[in-house]
């Protein structure tokens, strides 16, 4: 048995749940979820874009709870080596907030008319795509407005991620921060909290 | 076209209070100065306005209480221009139609304000030219708007129609400004100038405070300018020979002059008024000589004869004796200086009257200025009336420049002096004033209200500011602008020769470049080393 | 009140006192049986087995030399694999006008050591009429047997063994550097149910000989080429084969002719009963085996089976996993080599430790195979749907109708 990810290195998983605002991807590999804030796309020719906002690893079968297995083992990895079935029984899913879509090779930074289909392939994005979203940041309001406990971290993580992916965009960090500031005009506290999560590296 | 830079957008405002402009992220409040010009691109109109206030605003009201960590540059950068932003208040002064048809009518005073979110741009040279006119249109380049290189021009046609004023506390550049205005008038040929040069700064060499000489009008315009002097020694010391040394006879002094000198001579009103009785008693032209030659006893007798308090008359005689000590006043019949000045003016020349050492003596200054002006004005009046509407026969326009004008135009004096008359009559007889003064609040309100164009540098006191701005619309906002002028070489100009109040950095005067730009025609100085110095600036 | 709890409680009390008596008797019997095993002499036992053949009513296995020995847990190889297979089925449903059934076989391949990995899978197979739901006599096509109940259970065992055979073969083919592989199934390898009187020969031929043993033979063939063992794991074994042997040991007669000697004696009071009645193999083994230890290998001795099983004759040992006494069966060809028994012993022990008392591979195979109640309903609905779509009138009870509302 081989996982498709060997043949298609940019493919991460498949959509298993999808609604107007977000879609959930099941990873081909256990713990294979992209970092928080990563831009991914679902679908092949006219993909829908999303920012990773939540990831979750648990047993495939909700009635089976993981138990402690490493008591006598020297390392965590050994737990998985000694219990190889875990890699099959546990699964990593991640949610992405939908931020845009591509239509006739034009990227649009607002919600698509419909979310991606179930089983759409989810893969990593190219730098040009990241740049488009990093420059617009239109979607930030929906992430910040989603009022998830992790909203602020997702916002910060996206900017970190974009700055890392696009080191040549030297102004990106400050430009993004300014966009955030105008979005959070009346909540400087919150803004400051987010900005603190975007260290200069 | 130069690239226009956007500074922000209109977010609020009213016609009364001006419009509020939110600065965009790239424009810092520190880059904007109160008094500078901006253009607002409304939907149907283009507005030309002045920055009247600058403010720091925040979209988060709690910002000032819960200060974010501004020591973190990143956080500061993020906040500035977004949550914490600069705002300016712009007074829309003029409306320039957007389509070329309405542009033809030229700028009109704003009767409305631009819509929300109209873009606000830095004014460009083209904007300045379309509002204030250009040199090509016959305007006179007086300086540049704040933070701009554009040449801001005055409408001299409008200027010479009325009396004008240059105000500002001492050392702010009044004299330099006045010199420029005089040159402008001179070059345009729209009027002749008569300048009472109290401190010997206009005719032959002025000094700058950085202690180098700057050229006077004679040096720049040679034969077009005559320099008359009250003090030939002083002229010689400064290395030139005046065209004429002015002197007066006792007969030239009138009771009206005595009224003017009341303060400087420390006369009671009874004493000053006695001069009229003396004139009635001895006859015009003769009264001064007759009275001054009297003994103490004779004076007493005269007092009872003409029914004047004897001690007042005695005091008057003692004080008038001071006038006889002036070397330009003599008992003998002298050449009629007023007549000579008139001739020069009539032949199209401009006349500078240097006071030499007498400039430091207000009594001498006022006496001479008053005597001459009265004579000249009389002649103009007559000439004008004789012409009976024939423009060609009318006397040429005359602009009389007086420094320390409040001495002649104070509320107690202006009713009696010839200067008050000229100021109030406007250009009825083709004579107007260019008053230069550091204490405008001492000038009579009515006179101030007749001044067509006011050029004001920084002023000393609120009273001065009030008097300069009285009767101007948008007064309160201009106050702020006026109070923040730089202490030198900056002025707020408003009135008839500009379509709207505007702050200018006065054009440089004193460098070789400035002289050549001002059309130096070589003057009368043939000294080649001097010419070289002029060319390369003072060393 | 429908149930008189007071009286029930009273009756429960009576039951408890009876149980107490019973358990003390058990303890005595167990002690007796252990004594007998202590003095076990293999030759004597085998001799008696021989003389009593056909007369002794029970079927003791062939005992090893020292049946009461506990063999220590051997060491386990660093790299090895375990393949577990298990199945479940949906039986024929009388509500449905079609006699179909479904077997779902789950398998878990677990590789341990340096290249550890796992593959879990399941494969469902629907058996549909007319051919797949009956077994017919090749010599007489009119002779057929509907597959259900016991037979279906056996078919499922066949499926499991076939699946295991397939996986082991694949594993053998796939691995260039082979490691020891243990194939595990759940439940006994002895399909005695099939051999009960009344089951026609053609069924035995088809299911046991061709099916089950055929698959075992395939495994045996694969095992010739590499280190592959097959075993079955029986949790909580109810068997009493060893007890049968103990009974013979307890029999006071030289020739254990039960009818002759004890034909009139009531069950429970026969001489042999004192060491065996009511005991199970695991009762003795729990006294004999230390934790992690296994018994020696016994060989099943059912006459009925011997004809069919041949090389695949079943051998077994008991194992104290630390959680329970389990029974592990291996075909004789696999248990011939002592190394294979050790491998199975070590691997099953390790699997039980990992699985918390039950071999992980079997547990995961079971998880793959298991058909949840909702899936069962879903399956039914699916069948209904297909039938209705094809115009087959369908009478279901009101109860079933309500369940159909699950359909979206
Ligand atoms: N347009 C100008 N060009 C060059 N220097 C100027 C100009 N205006 C003012 N200054 C400087 O400011 C000083 C004061 O100017 P001045 O006209 O004498 O002031 P005021 O007459 O108001 O007392 C001058 O000596 C000169 O150094
Ligand atoms: Mg001066």
């Amino acid at each position: 048995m081989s996982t498709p990810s060997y043949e298609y290195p940019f493919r991460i998983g498949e959509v298993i749940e999808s609604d107007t605002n977000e879609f959930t991807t099941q990873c081909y590999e256990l713990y294979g979820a992209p970092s928080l804030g990563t831009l991914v796309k679902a679908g092949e020719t006219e993909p829908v874009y999303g920012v990773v906002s939540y990831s979750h690893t648990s047993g495939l079968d909700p009635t089976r709870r993981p138990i402690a297995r490493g008591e006598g083992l020297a390392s965590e990895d050994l737990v998985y080596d000694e219990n190889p079935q875990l890699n099959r029984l546990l699964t990593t899913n991640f949610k992405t907030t939908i931020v845009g879509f591509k239509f006739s090779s034009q990227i649009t930074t607002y919600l698509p008319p419909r979310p991606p289909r179930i089983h759409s392939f989810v893969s990593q994005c190219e730098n040009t795509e990241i740049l488009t979203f990093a420059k617009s940041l239109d979607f930030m309001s929906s992430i910040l407005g989603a009022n998830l406990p992790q909203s602020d971290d997702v916002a910060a993580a996206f900017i970190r991620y974009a700055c890392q992916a696009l080191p040549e965009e030297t102004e990106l960090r400050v430009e993004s921060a300014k966009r955030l500031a105008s979005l959070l005009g009346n909540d400087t506290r919150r803004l400051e909290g987010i900005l603190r999560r975007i260290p200069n590296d | 076209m130069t690239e226009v830079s956007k500074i922000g957008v209109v977010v609020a405002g009213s016609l009364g209070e001006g419009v509020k402009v939110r600065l965009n992220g790239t424009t810092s409040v520190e880059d904007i100065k109160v008094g500078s010009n901006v253009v607002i691109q409304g939907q149907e109109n283009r507005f030309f306005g002045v920055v009247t206030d600058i403010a720091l605003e925040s979209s988060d009201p709690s910002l000032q209480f819960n200060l974010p960590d501004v020591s973190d540059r990143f956080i500061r950068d993020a906040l500035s221009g977004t949550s914490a932003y600069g705002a300016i208040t712009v007074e829309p002064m003029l409306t320039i139609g957007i389509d070329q048809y309405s542009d033809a009518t030229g700028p009109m005073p704003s009767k409305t304000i631009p819509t929300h979110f109209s873009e606000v741009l830095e004014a460009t040279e083209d904007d300045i030219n379309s509002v204030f006119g250009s040199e090509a249109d016959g305007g006179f380049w007086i300086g540049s708007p704040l933070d701009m290189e554009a040449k801001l021009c005055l409408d001299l046609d409008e200027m010479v129609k009325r009396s004008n004023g240059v105000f500002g506390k001492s050392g702010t550049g009044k004299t330099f400004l006045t010199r420029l205005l005089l040159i402008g008038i001179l070059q345009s040929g729209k009027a002749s100038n008569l300048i009472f040069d109290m401190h010997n700064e206009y005719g032959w060499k002025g000094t700058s405070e950085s202690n180098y000489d700057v050229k006077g009008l004679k040096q720049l315009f040679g034969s077009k300018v005559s320099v008359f002097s009250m003090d030939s020694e002083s002229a010689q010391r400064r290395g030139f020979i005046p065209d004429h040394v002015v002197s007066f006879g006792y007969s030239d002094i009138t009771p009206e002059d005595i009224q003017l000198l009341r303060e400087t001579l420390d006369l009671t009103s009874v004493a000053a008024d006695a001069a009229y009785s003396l004139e009635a008693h001895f006859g015009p032209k003769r009264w001064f000589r007759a009275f001054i030659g009297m003994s103490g006893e004779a004076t007493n007798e005269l007092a009872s004869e003409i029914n004047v308090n004897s001690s007042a008359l005695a005091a008057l005689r003692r004080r008038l004796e001071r006038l006889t000590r002036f070397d330009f006043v003599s008992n003998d019949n002298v050449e009629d200086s007023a007549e000579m000045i008139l001739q020069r003016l009539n032949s199209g020349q401009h006349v500078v009257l240097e006071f030499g050492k007498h400039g430091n003596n207000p009594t001498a200054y006022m006496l001479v200025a008053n005597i001459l002006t009265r004579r000249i004005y009389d002649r103009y009046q007559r000439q004008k009336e004789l012409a009976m509407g024939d423009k060609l026969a009318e006397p040429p326009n005359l602009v009389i420049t007086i420094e320390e004008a409040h001495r002649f135009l104070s509320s107690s004096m202006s009713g009696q002096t010839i200067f008050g008359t000229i100021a109030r009559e406007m250009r009825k007889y083709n004579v107007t004033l260019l008053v230069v003064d550091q204490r405008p609040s001492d000038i009579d309100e009515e006179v101030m209200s007749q001044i067509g164009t006011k050029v004001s540098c920084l002023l000393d006191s609120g009273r001065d500011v009030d008097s300069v701005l009285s009767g101007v619309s948008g007064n309160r906002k201009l106050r702020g602008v006026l109070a923040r002028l730089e202490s030198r070489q900056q002025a707020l100009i408003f009135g008839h020769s500009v379509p709207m109040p505007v702050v200018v950095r006065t054009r440089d005067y004193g460098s070789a470049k400035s002289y050549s730009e001002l059309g130096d025609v070589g003057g009368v100085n043939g000294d080649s080393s001097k010419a070289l110095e002029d060319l390369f600036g003072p060393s | 009140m429908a149930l008189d709890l007071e009286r029930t409680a009273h009756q429960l009390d009576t039951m408890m006192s009876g149980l107490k008596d019973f358990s003390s008797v058990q303890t005595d019997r167990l002690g007796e049986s252990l004594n007998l095993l202590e003095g076990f002499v293999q030759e004597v036992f085998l001799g008696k087995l021989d003389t009593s053949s056909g007369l002794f009513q029970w079927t003791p296995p062939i005992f090893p030399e020292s049946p009461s020995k506990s063999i220590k847990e051997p060491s386990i190889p660093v790299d090895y694999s375990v393949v577990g297979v298990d199945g479940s089925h949906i039986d024929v449903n009388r509500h449905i006008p079609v006699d179909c059934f479904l077997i779902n076989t789950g398998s878990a391949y677990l590789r341990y050591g340096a290249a550890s990995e796992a593959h879990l899978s399941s494969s469902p197979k629907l058996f549909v009429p007319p051919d797949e739901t009956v077994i017919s006599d090749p010599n007489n096509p009119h002779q057929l047997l509907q597959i259900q109940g016991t037979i279906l259970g056996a078919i499922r065992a066949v499926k499991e063994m076939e699946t295991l055979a397939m996986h082991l073969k694949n594993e053998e083919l796939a691995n260039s550097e082979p490691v020891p592989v243990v194939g595990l199934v759940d439940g006994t390898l002895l399909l005695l149910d099939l051999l009960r009187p009344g089951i026609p020969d053609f069924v035995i031929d088809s299911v046991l000989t061709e099916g089950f043993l055929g698959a075992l033979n395939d495994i045996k063939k694969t095992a010739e080429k590499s280190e592959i063992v097959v075993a079955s794991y029986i949790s909580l074994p109810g068997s009493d084969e060893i007890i049968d042997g103990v009974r013979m040991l307890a029999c006071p007669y030289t020739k254990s002719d039960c009818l002759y000697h004890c034909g009139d004696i009531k069950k429970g009071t026969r001489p042999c009963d004192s060491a065996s009645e009511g005991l199970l193999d695991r009762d003795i083994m729990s006294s004999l085996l230390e934790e992690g230890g296994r018994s020696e290998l016994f060989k099943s001795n059912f006459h009925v089976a011997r004809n069919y099983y041949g090389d695949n004759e079943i051998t077994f040992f008991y194992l104290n996993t630390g959680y329970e006494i389990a029974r592990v069966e291996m075909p004789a060809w696999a248990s011939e080599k002592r190394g294979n028994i050790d491998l199975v012993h070590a691997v099953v022990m390790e699997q039980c430790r990992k699985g918390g008392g039950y071999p992980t591979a079997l547990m995961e195979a079971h998880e793959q195979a298991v058909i949840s109640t909702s899936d069962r309903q879903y399956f039914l609905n699916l069948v209904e749907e297909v039938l209705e779509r094809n115009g087959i009138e369908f009478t279901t009870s009101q109860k079933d109708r309500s369940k159909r509302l699950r359909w979206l």
Side-chain angles (χ1 to χ4, degrees), chain A residues 159 173-175 177-182 184-189 191-196 198-200, chain B residues 22 25 58-63 65-70 72 74-83:
Chain A
I159 295 169
R173 184 166 167 264
V174 172
E175 279 171 15
K178 282 189 176 291
R179 291 297 305 273
L180 279 184
S182 32
L184 290 174
N186 54 7
D187 196 347
T188 314
R189 280 272 163 115
L191 174 69
E192 194 181 1
I194 296 175
L195 295 185
R196 292 227 166 281
I198 315 173
N200 203 357
Chain B
R22 180 186 170 134
S58 164
S59 56
D60 180 2
S62 73
L63 189 71
F65 312 115
N66 304 319
L67 195 64
D69 179 7
V70 286
D72 185 334
F74 179 49
I75 289 179
R76 210 173 55 219
D77 283 354
L79 289 173
S80 39
T82 53
S83 300

Side-chain angles (χ1 to χ4, degrees), chain A residues 60-71:
Chain A
L60 261 176
D61 179 347
T63 59
R64 296 182 66 188
R65 288 179 20 99
I67 50 160
R69 289 174 184 274
E71 195 178 7

Side-chain angles (χ1 to χ4, degrees), chain C residues 12 39 63-64 68 84 117 181 209 234 271 288 325 327 343 372:
Chain C
L12 274 171
F63 270 42
S68 53
E117 63 169 322
V181 185
T209 314
I234 300 137
L288 292 175
I325 302 297
R327 174 174 156 127
L343 176 65
S372 68

Side-chain angles (χ1 to χ4, degrees), chain A residues 1 61 64 69 81-85 88-89, chain C residues 111-112 116-120 354 360 364 367:
Chain A
M1 253 186 270
D61 179 347
R64 296 182 66 188
R69 289 174 184 274
D81 287 350
E82 291 288 303
N83 300 284
Q85 75 279 9
R88 303 289 164 197
L89 297 177
Chain C
R111 161 90 186 240
Y112 295 94
S116 83
E117 63 169 322
H119 300 302
L120 309 177
K354 288 193 157 81
T360 309
E364 297 307 341
E367 290 293 340

Side-chain angles (χ1 to χ4, degrees), chain B residues 170-171 173-176 199 201-202 403 436:
Chain B
S170 137
K174 289 188 299 296
T175 302
F176 274 60
H199 302 299
E201 296 167 308
Y202 296 100
E403 292 235 0
V436 181

Side-chain angles (χ1 to χ4, degrees), chain B residues 276-351:
Chain B
Y276 289 107
S277 309
L278 291 172
E279 188 187 37
H281 184 75
F282 294 113
K285 293 188 186 269
R286 296 220 306 277
W287 70 273
F288 188 84
R289 190 183 320 160
F291 179 54
I292 218 76
M294 282 180 126
S295 65
E297 267 168 60
T299 307
N300 273 342
E301 276 169 34
L302 182 62
S304 56
E305 193 175 333
I306 61 174
N307 203 17
V308 174
N309 179 301
S310 64
S311 60
L313 200 58
L316 177 65
R317 215 205 54 184
R318 276 198 307 282
R319 303 286 153 75
L320 290 184
E321 266 171 13
R322 286 196 206 158
L323 303 186
T324 64
R325 278 179 236 138
F326 288 133
D327 52 10
F328 57 83
V329 179
S330 67
N331 194 4
D332 319 314
N333 262 336
V334 291
E335 245 185 312
D336 188 344
S337 298
E339 189 55 38
M340 292 186 69
I341 290 172
L342 273 165
Q343 275 168 17
R344 302 282 167 120
L345 293 176
N346 273 332
S347 67
Q349 279 195 324
H350 304 266
V351 177

Side-chain angles (χ1 to χ4, degrees), chain B residues 83-102:
Chain B
S83 300
Y85 53 90
I88 57 176
T89 306
V90 174
E91 174 86 0
M93 307 295 298
L94 300 168
T95 310
I96 318 166
I98 277 180
D99 57 332
Q100 64 238 74
Y101 307 107
S102 55

